[in-house]
Amino acid sequence: MIRKVGWVLDADIRRFFDSVNHDWLMRILRHRIADERILRLVEGWLRAGILEGGRWSETIEGTPQGAGISPLLANIFLHYILDLWIHHWRNRRAAGLVSIVRYCDDFVIGFEREGDARRLWREFGGKIPEIRTFPSWG
């Protein structure tokens, strides 16, 4: 599918994997998963803890560092926290086309109109590092 994109927000959610809230993640998972065995397994992964220098410490937030389950959990969490919010924002606030491409904590949002890009950037609190423009394709 071809989209008209002249403005791009490029972002990486800082310290995302270290700060995922376990309670919210489990609420989100319970929204779609009814099997308590699966939910207990995920909760076990989340609360497994960290072993550094021979010392174990409890994990109260974040996803397991380097574990194969982390990207999956990140994508589920951010679907509900970011993707659906962007979808809602696009339908209610955008004047032009808006597209998002995301993998885990990295995402790019393409805008047809500069005003939409700047408006969303302000609503993010100006925390996204930059807005880039691309030359016209025509």
Side-chain angles (χ1 to χ4, degrees):
M1 178 184 314
I2 297 174
R3 299 267 183 173
K4 295 179 183 179
V5 172
W7 298 86
V8 174
L9 289 178
D10 180 12
D12 182 338
I13 302 171
R14 189 177 309 146
R15 297 186 32 84
F16 173 76
F17 288 98
D18 297 334
S19 60
V20 171
N21 182 289
H22 290 180
D23 293 333
W24 273 107
L25 177 57
M26 293 308 297
R27 281 187 201 182
I28 288 167
L29 292 173
R30 281 187 177 89
H31 180 71
R32 292 286 184 169
I33 300 171
D35 189 334
E36 282 297 322
R37 295 170 298 178
I38 300 295
L39 294 169
R40 279 194 307 272
L41 180 61
V42 171
E43 201 157 28
W45 278 321
L46 293 174
R47 304 217 188 276
I50 299 173
L51 185 61
E52 289 181 292
R55 298 192 64 172
W56 179 85
S57 57
E58 183 181 15
T59 306
I60 56 173
E61 63 181 10
T63 60
Q65 189 73 13
I69 192 71
S70 290
L72 175 66
L73 295 175
N75 280 316
I76 292 168
F77 187 82
L78 285 173
H79 169 74
Y80 286 93
I81 303 302
L82 179 64
D83 299 348
L84 294 178
W85 184 83
I86 292 290
H87 177 73
H88 176 78
W89 186 91
R90 172 180 43 222
N91 290 338
R92 303 250 194 265
R93 307 265 310 180
L97 297 173
V98 177
S99 300
I100 183 170
V101 177
R102 184 188 53 73
Y103 178 73
C104 295
D105 63 336
D106 298 302
F107 62 95
V108 175
I109 305 174
F111 300 87
E112 179 182 15
R113 299 183 179 186
E114 178 184 4
D116 290 338
R118 295 199 180 278
R119 186 176 308 111
L120 184 65
W121 184 75
R122 282 190 305 272
E123 290 185 25
F124 272 137
K127 302 285 188 221
I128 298 172
E130 65 179 303
I131 299 172
R132 289 183 262 188
T133 182
F134 289 89
S136 172
W137 298 105

